[in-house]
C-alpha cells in the first residue's frame, strides 16, 4: 500500500513547502519572503514585500483530487500539483545586491523542493510580465497522498 501522509489542514502542506523554500541558501541570502496563499493578509503581504524588496514568493493552494479511502474509510486525497509564483519588480529587486532575478529564484525553489523527494518532480516553469511586474510560475507534479487526521472521525 502507498504511504498516506496524515495532515490536519491544507495549511500544513503549504507550510512544509514554504519552509523548504525559505531554508534554501539563495532565498535566505536574497531575503526573499515566502508566503502562503491562504495567509490572512495575503494582499497586504504581497504588496508590502514587492513594494519594499521588489520580489516575493507565494505558495499557492495546491490542487487536491479524491483518491479513495484509507483502511478506516476516511477520504484520501491526491495532490497532483503544487505551484509557486515568484513575482518581481526588476528595477526594485535588482537594485539590491545579491538578489538575483525571479527566474533565478524559481530555479532555486525547484532545487529546494526536489530535495524533499516524495515524488516531487518539476513539471514546468513559465514567465509572464504585466505592468512592469515579472511573474514566474513554477509547477511541480507530486505523487503525494493525504488523509485528514481527525479524532472525531475515528
Amino acid at each position: 500500500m502507498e504511504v498516506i501522509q496524515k495532515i490536519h489542514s491544507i495549511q500544513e502542506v503549504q507550510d512544509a513547502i514554504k519552509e523548504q523554500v525559505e531554508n534554501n541558501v539563495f532565498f535566505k541570502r536574497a531575503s526573499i519572503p515566502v508566503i502562503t496563499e491562504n495567509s490572512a493578509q495575503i494582499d497586504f503581504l504581497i504588496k508590502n514585500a514587492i513594494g519594499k524588496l521588489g520580489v516575493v514568493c507565494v505558495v499557492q493552494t495546491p490542487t487536491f483530487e479524491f483518491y479513495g479511502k484509507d483502511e478506516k474509510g476516511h477520504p484520501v486525497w491526491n495532490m497532483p500539483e503544487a505551484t509557486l509564483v515568484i513575482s518581481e519588480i526588476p528595477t526594485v529587486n535588482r537594485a539590491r545586491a545579491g538578489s538575483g532575478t525571479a527566474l533565478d529564484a524559481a530555479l532555486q525553489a525547484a532545487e529546494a523542493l526536489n530535495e524533499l523527494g516524495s515524488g516531487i518532480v518539476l513539471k514546468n516553469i513559465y514567465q509572464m510580465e504585466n505592468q512592469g511586474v515579472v511573474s514566474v510560475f513554477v509547477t511541480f507534479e507530486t505523487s503525494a497522498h493525504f488523509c485528514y487526521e481527525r479524532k472525531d472521525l475515528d
Side-chain angles (χ1 to χ4, degrees):
M1 180 171 184
E2 295 180 59
V3 175
I4 298 173
Q5 299 174 40
K6 304 291 185 181
I7 60 170
H8 296 96
S9 69
I10 293 172
Q11 182 69 40
E12 264 183 69
V13 176
Q14 287 180 289
D15 287 344
I17 294 169
K18 175 184 182 219
E19 183 178 333
Q20 188 71 16
V21 173
E22 279 179 328
N23 287 327
N24 176 276
V25 174
F26 177 86
F27 274 77
K28 284 182 176 182
R29 186 185 69 236
S31 301
I32 298 173
V34 181
I35 58 178
T36 57
E37 186 178 51
N38 62 356
S39 297
Q41 299 175 330
I42 184 76
D43 292 333
F44 170 78
L45 293 171
I46 291 171
K47 287 177 186 173
N48 190 43
I50 207 147
K52 287 183 179 178
L53 301 173
V55 65
V56 65
C57 175
V58 178
V59 179
Q60 291 190 324
T61 302
T63 303
F64 284 89
E65 297 172 346
F66 182 71
Y67 180 72
K69 296 199 177 219
D70 69 4
E71 65 280 354
K72 295 181 181 178
H74 302 153
V76 175
W77 302 93
N78 178 38
M79 185 181 84
E81 290 187 352
T83 301
L84 302 175
V85 181
I86 296 103
S87 296
E88 161 190 39
I89 298 174
T91 55
V92 177
N93 180 46
R94 296 177 196 177
R96 300 183 309 122
S99 62
T101 67
L103 185 56
D104 294 333
L107 294 171
Q108 289 296 316
E111 184 177 308
L113 289 179
N114 187 50
E115 292 171 8
L116 275 177
S118 302
I120 296 176
V121 178
L122 178 64
K123 180 180 179 182
N124 62 42
I125 297 177
Y126 69 93
Q127 179 175 306
M128 59 183 283
E129 185 175 345
N130 185 14
Q131 299 179 350
V133 176
V134 174
S135 294
V136 179
F137 296 77
V138 186
T139 302
F140 300 88
E141 289 181 333
T142 78
S143 58
H145 302 295
F146 298 95
C147 180
Y148 284 110
E149 188 173 271
R150 293 179 41 193
K151 292 181 181 175
D152 61 328
L153 291 177
D154 294 323

